[in-house]
Amino acid sequence: MSWLSRVRKAIPFIAKKETSADTLWQKCPGCHQMIFTREWEENLSVCPKCDHHGRIGPKERFAQILDEGSVKTMAVPQVKEDPLKFRDSKKYTDRIKQARAATGDHDALINACGTVDGQPIVMGVQNFAYMGGSMGVAVGAAFVQGVEEAIARKCPYVIFTAAGGARMQEGILSLMQMPRATVAIQKLHEAGLPYIVVLTDPTTGGVTASYAMLGDIQIAEPNALIGFAGQRVIESTIREKLPEGFQRAEYLLAHGMIDMVVHRKELKKRIAQVACYLMPKKAA
């Protein structure tokens, strides 16, 4: 036993590493103020000082939106993980293992069934922490799975988008998920069921060019970055300075691209209202 271990055993009140300042405090990406992690989490990962909406994953989303005790996470569809045997500075399979270890999720899109204020829904959540929420074959399969489950349950499909676009390691196969998702949405519409999109920060690239902009209702979180190409790419192409707040949720709302901007604290209530309004009424 080392001298440090003996000292720790003799003095039990010495703080362990897992309760250090690194875990007690959270730095806000918006105002850069230090906030107690507990306060940050109790405020739904929204900064109490500047109202910045932090990025969160499927587990947090399901807990915040779906009624307690109603959450049933769906099994992830099995697909070929490295169809092109892709390698850049790392093997694609190694990047997948790293992303799974970091997030605990099998891929970037996870579905769950549950209720929102008693209203049954199927809900999908993209995790930006998983390879930038990129859209590959697994994401396309999960999206179709969510839509088919919503049709089977005769309830709305709600998708929370957060992505940097298509997954480059899967090449053309990733781009094929765009029309695949569009066909699935058409089937949902043919069944007379609502498709509700919640755009979170950031939603860009091929995801924006496909299922993120095909909702019956487009909801966005405050100040979410939403667009196709990056601002610098657009400026260099058109050789003009873009307006302040371009590609942010409030700018898109003012210009008619989305329907509403909703604070995270009000999101559950608003989704329940919209789902209730859009669901077909049963004949008397």
Side-chain angles (χ1 to χ4, degrees):
M1 183 182 293
S2 68
W3 68 268
L4 183 58
S5 299
R6 290 197 297 271
V7 170
R8 280 183 171 174
K9 189 175 181 180
I11 312 176
F13 58 81
I14 292 180
K16 295 181 180 179
K17 185 177 180 180
E18 57 264 25
T19 58
S20 66
D22 292 337
T23 58
L24 290 174
W25 294 90
Q26 171 82 32
K27 186 176 182 180
C28 172
C31 63
H32 307 293
Q33 295 292 315
M34 298 301 293
I35 303 158
F36 274 117
T37 299
R38 187 173 181 179
E39 183 182 5
W40 174 267
E41 293 172 349
E42 289 176 351
N43 205 41
L44 306 182
S45 299
V46 176
C47 178
K49 302 181 185 298
C50 71
D51 214 35
H52 173 83
H53 282 52
R55 296 170 183 173
I56 56 177
K59 294 181 182 65
E60 293 84 357
R61 288 285 183 194
F62 295 146
Q64 291 177 12
I65 303 298
L66 298 177
D67 297 335
E68 187 177 356
S70 73
V71 183
K72 294 182 180 178
T73 305
M74 296 170 59
V76 178
Q78 298 299 312
V79 300
K80 194 170 183 179
E81 293 187 344
D82 189 9
L84 304 180
K85 305 297 180 185
F86 190 91
R87 178 179 184 136
D88 45 70
S89 59
K90 289 182 181 179
K91 289 183 180 179
Y92 179 35
T93 51
D94 292 340
R95 291 191 182 279
I96 291 174
K97 291 175 183 177
Q98 185 178 0
R100 286 176 180 168
T103 63
D105 294 330
H106 188 78
D107 213 280
L109 175 58
I110 305 295
N111 289 307
C113 304
T115 60
V116 180
D117 289 346
Q119 169 74 44
I121 70 165
V122 177
M123 176 175 158
V125 179
Q126 279 185 274
N127 189 357
F128 191 77
Y130 189 107
M131 296 183 69
S134 52
M135 176 183 62
V137 175
V139 168
F143 185 88
V144 173
Q145 175 200 45
V147 170
E148 290 177 345
E149 186 68 20
I151 294 172
R153 292 174 176 264
K154 297 181 180 179
C155 68
Y157 185 51
V158 181
I159 183 77
F160 283 73
T161 61
R167 190 170 297 177
M168 56 170 274
Q169 290 89 348
E170 296 184 18
I172 190 64
L173 296 176
S174 66
L175 298 179
M176 288 171 63
Q177 307 314 308
M178 298 167 65
R180 186 183 183 190
T182 303
V183 171
I185 294 168
Q186 183 59 35
K187 290 181 179 179
L188 192 68
H189 288 159
E190 288 173 358
L193 298 169
Y195 173 53
I196 301 168
V197 178
V198 182
L199 302 152
T200 72
D201 182 70
T203 298
T204 60
V207 171
T208 305
S210 56
Y211 56 83
M213 286 299 166
L214 294 176
D216 298 315
I217 293 290
Q218 303 287 138
I219 304 172
E221 288 192 326
N223 203 41
L225 175 65
I226 304 162
F228 180 64
Q231 185 167 339
R232 286 180 296 179
V233 173
I234 298 172
E235 287 181 338
S236 64
T237 302
I238 65 174
R239 292 180 172 81
E240 290 184 15
K241 185 70 176 176
L242 295 173
E244 186 70 26
F246 181 76
Q247 291 186 327
R248 292 292 173 177
E250 291 74 13
Y251 182 92
L252 300 183
L253 176 65
H255 290 78
M257 193 171 177
I258 61 177
D259 297 301
M260 59 186 81
V261 176
V262 181
H263 195 283
R264 192 170 290 172
K265 292 180 180 179
E266 301 295 325
L267 205 48
K268 179 176 180 177
K269 179 181 177 182
R270 189 60 57 88
I271 289 173
Q273 289 175 340
V274 170
C276 182
Y277 292 156
L278 295 181
M279 276 297 291
K281 305 300 180 184
K282 294 181 180 179

